[in-house]
Amino acid sequence: MKRPTQKETNPFPYSDSNKRYRTYDWFLRERFGCKVAKIPLAADFTCPNIDGKKGVGGCIYCASGSGKFNAPVCMPIEEQYETMLASMRKKWNVTKTIPYFQAHTNTYAPTRVLEPMFRRAVSLPGAVGLAVATRADCISKSCARLLSDIGKETFLTVELGLQTANDNTATLINRCHSYGDFLRGYYLLKESGNIGICVHLILGLPGETREDMLRTVKQVAMLRPEQVKFHLLYVLKDTPLGNMYLSGSYTPMTREEYVSVLAEALEYLPPETVIGRVTGDAPAADLLAPEWSRKKLTVIDELDKLLFESARYQGIANQSATL
Ligand code: SF4
């Protein structure tokens, strides 16, 4: 007799495949009725952790902190958008998009500068939403008000880099903001309304145990954000973390460790939280380690396999309360 497939035996309700977590792709198809492409845009901002306002050199893993990847003067966002879209359309038929201000800190400017930029992005042809990546300590009251106004008009997600809720680790990685700072920005956005929040977390930060990583996930789960993105800490050339790795004072996680922590982390997150990603893409030429991170699809497949074999899925740890 034919064995049932992972998809046929999937008990997770927010999925039409073998995924046992609420993927961003599934969520967008449900909401917009078709595949939606996220289009990265670069605005001409820096970061308070690079320009000296809060720190210099950036987070220890950040290649922008070294100045190496700083964008030159950017093309107008309309041109960036057209270029990205043309390249995506060679592969598939893109009709709806979410412009995404991704690099650096995209609320690190007065609202009189931010507002026209966000409004131009929202009116790009095919745009059905907007995503803005930033730091929680760069959300002022006026910025939260502006974002809330934009969120009344379109599907808005503000992506906040938390990385860890452990302040000792935050200091070690030169993050230059605490969990308290994060919460202040998070609640400013929440209380303003009309804004979906995506929290970015990094697994494998120096000095963090499995318990430390899961503690952060449990703290974030209590906030019930609309979205969470998991990143693997990869090591890039010409960064302080790269030097730590080369001197032997930092050892990246193995793939097995990463997938195992990730699977448990998903158990604690509410099933309604969308999982924006489960690993990251390092710039290939600058990657020092871990070598296994180059094969992103293998990581995703290993996660699916582990969840299937151990009969687990997103939110199962709180199942009685949430499903
Ligand atoms: S907050 Fe982001 S852009 Fe700024 S230094 Fe850290 S990783 Fe780099």
Side-chain angles (χ1 to χ4, degrees):
M1 204 173 79
K2 190 174 155 274
R3 284 177 61 199
T5 63
Q6 286 188 25
K7 180 179 169 183
E8 285 163 352
T9 54
N10 188 358
F12 187 65
Y14 309 110
S15 170
D16 55 5
S17 66
N18 66 332
K19 302 291 177 212
R20 288 170 172 246
Y21 52 94
R22 193 172 189 141
T23 68
Y24 189 54
D25 177 66
W26 181 88
F27 165 77
L28 291 176
R29 280 187 285 112
E30 285 286 301
R31 180 170 176 131
F32 295 105
C34 64
K35 200 166 169 65
V36 179
K38 214 162 163 188
I39 310 286
L41 299 174
D44 201 10
F45 293 135
T46 176
C47 170
N49 202 9
I50 292 175
D51 72 359
K53 183 170 178 200
K54 294 216 106 172
V56 286
C59 306
I60 61 168
Y61 46 79
C62 178
S64 297
S66 68
K68 192 171 172 183
F69 291 99
N70 281 358
V73 178
C74 295
M75 279 195 264
I77 60 167
E78 290 79 5
E79 259 182 69
Q80 295 179 43
Y81 183 77
E82 278 311 315
T83 310
M84 291 297 298
L85 208 50
S87 125
M88 280 187 186
R89 281 184 172 146
K90 286 182 192 155
K91 286 185 248 161
W92 44 285
N93 178 27
V94 181
T95 53
K96 294 182 182 174
T97 68
I98 297 180
Y100 176 28
F101 289 105
Q102 182 175 23
H104 291 121
T105 301
N106 293 287
T107 57
Y108 189 38
T111 49
R112 68 185 145 72
V113 176
L114 299 176
E115 179 161 11
M117 186 178 70
F118 293 160
R119 295 209 180 275
R120 275 165 62 198
V122 165
S123 38
L124 288 164
V128 292
L130 177 69
V132 176
T134 189
R135 292 166 55 102
D137 58 354
C138 292
I139 301 290
S140 61
K141 281 187 185 161
S142 58
C143 173
R145 263 196 310 272
L146 167 65
L147 290 165
S148 174
D149 286 346
I150 290 173
K152 280 181 200 148
E153 296 159 27
T154 195
F155 171 66
L156 175 70
T157 306
V158 175
E159 305 203 9
L160 297 176
L162 169 61
Q163 325 310 6
T164 176
N166 182 324
D167 285 347
N168 291 332
T169 309
T171 303
L172 181 68
I173 64 174
N174 197 37
R175 184 79 195 146
C176 296
H177 80 27
S178 65
Y179 188 50
D181 295 329
F182 169 83
L183 288 176
R184 271 188 288 282
Y186 184 93
Y187 282 116
L188 258 181
L189 292 173
K190 268 280 148 235
E191 283 155 16
S192 301
N194 313 308
I195 303 167
I197 303 180
C198 171
V199 181
H200 287 236
L201 300 176
I202 297 181
L203 302 179
L205 289 167
E208 290 221 329
T209 62
R210 181 184 181 98
E211 288 65 39
D212 291 326
M213 295 176 227
L214 293 173
R215 196 172 304 118
T216 290
V217 173
K218 288 176 193 171
Q219 284 174 267
V220 169
M222 285 194 285
L223 301 174
R224 306 186 85 80
E226 282 72 23
Q227 195 183 145
V228 166
K229 280 185 177 175
F230 288 102
H231 301 266
L232 160 72
L233 182 63
Y234 47 68
V235 185
L236 297 181
K237 290 176 191 165
D238 301 326
T239 60
L241 183 68
N243 296 337
M244 286 168 71
Y245 170 72
L246 293 172
S247 70
S249 60
Y250 174 70
T251 306
M253 296 174 95
T254 64
R255 188 172 68 209
E256 291 68 29
E257 287 167 338
Y258 183 76
V259 170
S260 170
V261 176
L262 193 53
E264 188 171 347
L266 290 171
E267 286 185 57
Y268 298 120
L269 287 172
E272 64 268 22
T273 295
V274 174
I275 307 301
R277 57 166 56 228
V278 292
T279 185
D281 288 306
D286 294 287
L287 181 74
L288 282 176
E291 202 47 43
W292 58 263
S293 69
R294 294 184 193 276
K295 294 193 175 160
K296 196 168 117 182
L297 284 181
T298 307
V299 177
I300 295 170
D301 289 347
E302 292 284 311
L303 175 66
D304 293 338
K305 191 165 161 244
L306 179 60
L307 290 171
F308 168 70
E309 289 177 351
S310 54
R312 291 182 289 167
Y313 48 83
Q314 183 182 341
I316 193 174
N318 315 304
Q319 188 176 30
S320 56
T322 50
L323 271 180

